[in-house]
Amino acid sequence: MTHYTKRLRDLREDHDMTQTQIAEELGTNRNQYQLYESGKRSLPLDMLQDLCAFYDVSADYILGLTDDPTRR
């Protein structure tokens, strides 16, 4: 499992959201988002940026480069 896939799932679950809900927030569909979260499709840069803005965390945190979500 790619490190960011666990972070995506954990962030979503910490916000008590379903894959469908987060996909709608990000302007995509559940199937597409599920592919990102499962690691079956690479996370595009624009989606990474949208996820960082939505969750108010750094890209480094999502990518697993730091355990500090606020490190910019």
Side-chain angles (χ1 to χ4, degrees), residues 18-70:
T18 65
Q19 287 182 342
T20 300
Q21 290 170 321
I22 189 65
E24 288 173 358
E25 288 288 331
L26 298 172
T28 190
N29 63 58
R30 189 203 66 82
N31 291 333
Q32 187 68 35
Y33 180 79
Q34 188 277 330
L35 292 173
Y36 300 141
E37 193 173 294
S38 69
K40 292 180 181 173
R41 176 162 285 170
S42 295
L43 187 64
L45 183 57
D46 61 334
M47 183 61 65
L48 175 61
Q49 292 171 320
D50 291 346
L51 286 160
C52 290
F54 181 79
Y55 290 125
D56 194 27
V57 298
S58 69
D60 284 351
Y61 180 74
I62 290 178
L63 296 174
L65 301 175
T66 182
D67 289 330
D68 180 358
T70 62

